[in-house]
């Protein structure tokens, strides 16, 4: 059974930092692409960034230079380091895994940035 579990969300003031983690189980993690998405209240879920199995990363423009995605294939984990947070970064952050067997989502973790 595939399971993605996010952790590390919380509340911070603008300019602060948070580190999110996603722990995967039940998949061939090391060969799958992973990504982070987020959803603000009243908005659609949006792409934040992704990382390939070999560590190639892509970010949406609004987080470039502030967010960093990394992965540890030995531990089946992916991380999202978020620095210089802004109120518009507020939302539920979801871990995504794209595998041959299908697409999988975590349950999400709340990030709240106050001004």
């Amino acid at each position: 059974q595939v399971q993605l579990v996010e952790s590390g969300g919380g509340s911070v003031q603008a300019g602060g930092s948070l580190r999110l983690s996603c722990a995967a189980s039940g998949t061939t993690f090391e060969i799958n692409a992973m990504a982070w998405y987020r959803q603000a209240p009243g908005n659609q879920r949006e792409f934040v960034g992704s990382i390939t199995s070999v560590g190639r990363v892509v970010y949406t423009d609004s987080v470039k230079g502030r967010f960093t995605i990394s992965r540890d294939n030995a531990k089946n984990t992916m991380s999202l380091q978020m620095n210089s947070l802004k109120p518009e970064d507020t939302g539920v952050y979801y871990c995504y895994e794209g595998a041959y067997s299908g697409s999988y989502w975590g349950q999400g973790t709340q990030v709240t940035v106050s001004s």
Side-chain angles (χ1 to χ4, degrees):
Q1 183 178 357
V2 177
Q3 191 172 20
L4 300 176
V5 179
E6 301 97 336
S7 61
S11 298
V12 295
Q13 290 191 328
S17 298
L18 282 174
R19 185 177 180 86
L20 306 183
S21 294
C22 172
S25 60
T27 69
T28 51
F29 179 87
E30 67 275 10
I31 66 171
N32 294 335
M34 302 291 296
W36 288 98
Y37 285 75
R38 65 187 180 188
Q39 186 168 18
N43 290 358
Q44 291 187 333
R45 192 172 298 187
E46 65 172 359
F47 173 80
V48 174
S50 63
I51 184 167
T52 68
S53 60
V54 294
R56 192 165 299 168
V57 294
V58 173
Y59 301 99
T60 192
D61 285 346
S62 63
V63 308
K64 285 180 181 177
R66 300 188 298 122
F67 289 12
T68 303
I69 296 174
S70 60
R71 66 188 293 163
D72 186 336
N73 288 342
K75 296 181 179 179
N76 283 13
T77 59
M78 174 180 64
S79 297
L80 177 65
Q81 177 66 43
M82 304 185 293
N83 299 327
S84 302
L85 282 161
K86 304 176 181 180
E88 51 263 44
D89 294 318
T90 294
V92 179
Y93 283 68
Y94 296 91
C95 174
Y96 168 89
E97 182 170 1
Y100 286 113
S101 60
S103 299
Y104 304 99
W105 295 89
Q107 82 289 349
T109 186
Q110 177 69 44
V111 171
T112 303
V113 184
S114 58
S115 58

